[in-house]
Amino acid sequence: MNETINDLLTPEARQRLEAQVTRAADKDRALRRFLNGVPLAKGLIRTALDTALRSDPFALLAEGWRTSKDIRTFYQGERAQLGEPVVVKLAAHDIERDLTPEVVIHVGAERRFPLRLALTLCGAFEGVELSILDRDMIAVGSGRCHLSLKLRVAGRTLESLTLGKLTLPGEHRLTPALPLYS
C-alpha cells in the first residue's frame, strides 16, 4: 500500500486545493503584496501543500489505531498469554488525522508571513481486524475505508473532497510493527 493522498486526488481536485490556498494567502494584504512581488514565494505554498499530499493515507490512519486507548484496554483484557497474537475486530469507526504543512515566508530578519494551513484526512472504516502481539500492532486484516479530505486555512474549512474508497488487503503485515502507546 504505497498510494499517497495525491494519488487519490483528481487533477481538478488538486487544482481546487491549490486555488483555495492561494486565495486564502491573498486575503492577507501584506502577504498578497509580497506574493505578487516575489513569484518564487507562491512556490513555497505549493511545495508545502505537495509535501502534505505525498503522505501515505494508510500510515496516517493506522496511527489512529495505534494511539487508541480503547484498543489498548481491549487488548490488555482479552489476551490469553504473552506471545500469542490477538485479533481485535473493530466495529464501524472513523479516524481523522491532521496534516499541518508549515508555510511561513520570511522577508529579512523581522518580517514573517505565516499561513495557517491544515489538511484533515478522514477515514470511515468498516470490517477491520487488527492483529496485536506483545503490545505491537503486527497486521491489519481486510476491510473498507471511505476517505475524504478537508482543507482548512486559519481555522476555516474551505474545501471538502471525497477521495473514494481505500480497500484494505486481506492481511497487511506492518513492517516494522507499530507499538501501541502506553
Side-chain angles (χ1 to χ4, degrees):
M1 302 193 71
N2 294 3
E3 204 166 33
T4 67
I5 296 170
N6 193 55
D7 296 332
L8 299 170
L9 288 171
T10 64
E12 297 80 21
R14 170 70 189 232
Q15 288 174 346
R16 280 200 329 261
L17 285 175
E18 286 180 9
Q20 289 281 13
V21 172
T22 301
R23 274 197 291 282
D26 282 345
K27 289 186 179 185
D28 181 307
R29 187 173 46 209
L31 182 54
R32 180 177 57 239
R33 275 196 307 253
F34 177 70
L35 290 174
N36 289 335
V38 182
L40 291 176
K42 284 188 180 178
L44 295 173
I45 294 172
R46 199 171 294 118
T47 299
L49 182 60
D50 186 57
T51 299
L53 293 175
R54 297 260 174 237
S55 300
D56 176 353
F58 183 75
L60 285 169
L61 297 171
E63 186 70 17
W65 294 318
R66 178 181 179 200
T67 59
S68 169
K69 184 178 179 182
D70 292 336
I71 290 173
R72 281 194 319 271
T73 301
F74 176 82
Y75 168 71
Q76 290 167 349
E78 291 295 317
R79 65 183 175 172
Q81 62 187 46
L82 224 52
E84 294 288 323
V86 173
V87 175
V88 178
K89 296 180 183 186
L90 303 178
H93 63 285
D94 297 335
I95 297 175
E96 289 189 357
R97 301 303 291 176
D98 288 329
L99 299 151
T100 52
E102 186 173 348
V103 181
V104 179
I105 300 169
H106 297 273
V107 181
E110 297 181 25
R111 302 251 338 219
R112 295 180 65 235
F113 298 102
L115 181 62
R116 291 186 342 199
L117 174 64
L119 294 166
T120 300
L121 180 65
C122 309
F125 288 89
E126 300 168 7
V128 176
E129 297 177 351
L130 304 178
S131 295
I132 301 172
L133 175 64
D134 296 336
R135 302 179 59 91
D136 291 334
M137 190 177 358
I138 59 171
V140 177
S142 62
R144 287 181 307 285
C145 175
H146 299 276
L147 293 174
S148 61
L149 185 69
K150 290 185 232 177
L151 169 68
R152 290 188 322 276
V153 176
R156 271 190 25 237
T157 300
L158 300 179
E159 187 82 39
S160 290
L161 301 169
T162 299
L163 298 178
K165 281 194 284 189
L166 180 65
T167 302
L168 304 175
E171 181 180 60
H172 177 72
R173 288 272 174 195
L174 300 170
T175 309
L178 296 176
L180 296 177
Y181 288 139
S182 50

